[in-house]
Amino acid sequence: MIELPKRFNVADYILQKADDLAIKTAYICGDQKISYQELKHKVNQAGWAFRDSGIEMEDRVLLLMKDTPDLPIAFLGAIKIGAVPVVLNNWLKAEDYKYMFNDSRGKLLVVDKSLVHSYEKIKTGMPFVKKVITVGQVDGYDDFNRWINSKPAELESAPTDRDDSAFWLYSSGSTGKQIGRASCRERV
């Protein structure tokens, strides 16, 4: 096992080669491609957008997103500022989301436009979610890419430690009930 320093931000670790691999493709989804340099800049922009929205270290950011380049951008942007992304399965029922949103106490939700209907069904019972951003334009919500694009492309990482929470995942396991599990930064 690699011994990591106590002060450790996994987003920096993942993106450390971005400058060396700048024009190489980091992520492909259908006909969409994003280079390492674009990924690094967009991660930083997402981090600024989260921070400007009041997200702080250890706050949970809910990610109800499809597997597109926007997912690693939001995921790593949250980690970079010390927030904890909660990646959610996008095939669940609205009531499952309500439980997870409240259980995690997520303050901000990034949701794919095709899944906004699930949030709309339960939004009155969501005391912790303070802001909702959509991936794709939906009336009444900020669009994720427009929301981050005006932000700076450079961002200093939060002073996180290797044993801080990096992200949460929910699993039903053998019980059938969703259980949130935290992964620390050194195990990513």
Side-chain angles (χ1 to χ4, degrees):
M1 188 163 141
I2 297 171
E3 182 66 30
L4 298 172
K6 178 156 178 50
R7 188 69 72 199
F8 179 73
N9 189 297
V10 73
D12 285 340
Y13 182 77
I14 291 169
L15 295 172
Q16 69 184 345
K17 295 287 186 185
D19 293 331
D20 295 338
L21 302 171
I23 61 170
K24 297 212 182 273
T25 302
Y27 196 91
I28 300 172
C29 180
D31 60 353
Q32 261 187 306
K33 291 183 181 180
I34 187 169
S35 71
Y36 280 93
Q37 193 65 45
E38 290 172 298
L39 178 64
K40 179 181 174 182
H41 288 166
K42 289 192 172 292
V43 164
N44 290 337
Q45 289 175 307
W48 274 112
F50 291 138
R51 197 180 272 169
D52 288 351
S53 292
I55 299 301
E56 299 176 345
M57 285 183 64
E58 296 297 325
D59 285 344
R60 264 77 64 211
V61 175
L62 303 159
L63 304 178
L64 182 52
M65 304 169 71
K66 298 217 171 181
D67 192 12
T68 69
D70 294 323
L71 178 58
I73 290 166
F75 182 81
L76 292 171
I79 290 173
K80 187 150 184 178
I81 66 162
V84 181
V86 181
V87 182
L88 302 168
N89 179 329
N90 55 31
W91 293 99
L92 300 176
K93 297 176 186 168
E95 286 303 313
D96 292 324
Y97 294 132
K98 183 176 182 177
Y99 169 77
M100 290 183 276
F101 291 2
N102 287 326
D103 179 64
S104 69
R105 297 183 179 163
K107 290 186 176 180
L108 188 143
L109 168 65
V110 182
V111 58
D112 188 270
K113 69 179 182 178
S114 68
L115 299 165
V116 170
H117 67 278
S118 291
Y119 170 72
E120 292 285 337
K121 289 179 185 177
I122 58 171
K123 69 181 181 180
T124 57
M126 310 295 292
F128 302 106
V129 175
K130 304 297 182 205
K131 186 164 185 73
V132 177
I133 305 296
T134 59
V135 178
Q137 189 59 51
V138 176
D139 289 341
Y141 298 100
D142 290 327
D143 173 67
F144 180 73
N145 284 291
R146 287 189 183 130
W147 184 62
I148 70 170
N149 280 341
S150 65
K151 303 299 180 188
E154 296 300 322
L155 173 66
E156 187 173 327
S157 300
T160 55
D161 290 343
R162 67 179 178 233
D163 55 349
D164 289 343
S165 292
F167 64 92
W168 283 21
L169 293 175
Y170 277 84
S171 171
S172 60
S174 60
T175 66
K177 182 179 178 186
Q178 297 292 332
I179 299 170
R181 299 282 185 231
S183 291
C184 64
R185 291 172 184 268
E186 73 176 339
R187 301 200 195 267
V188 171

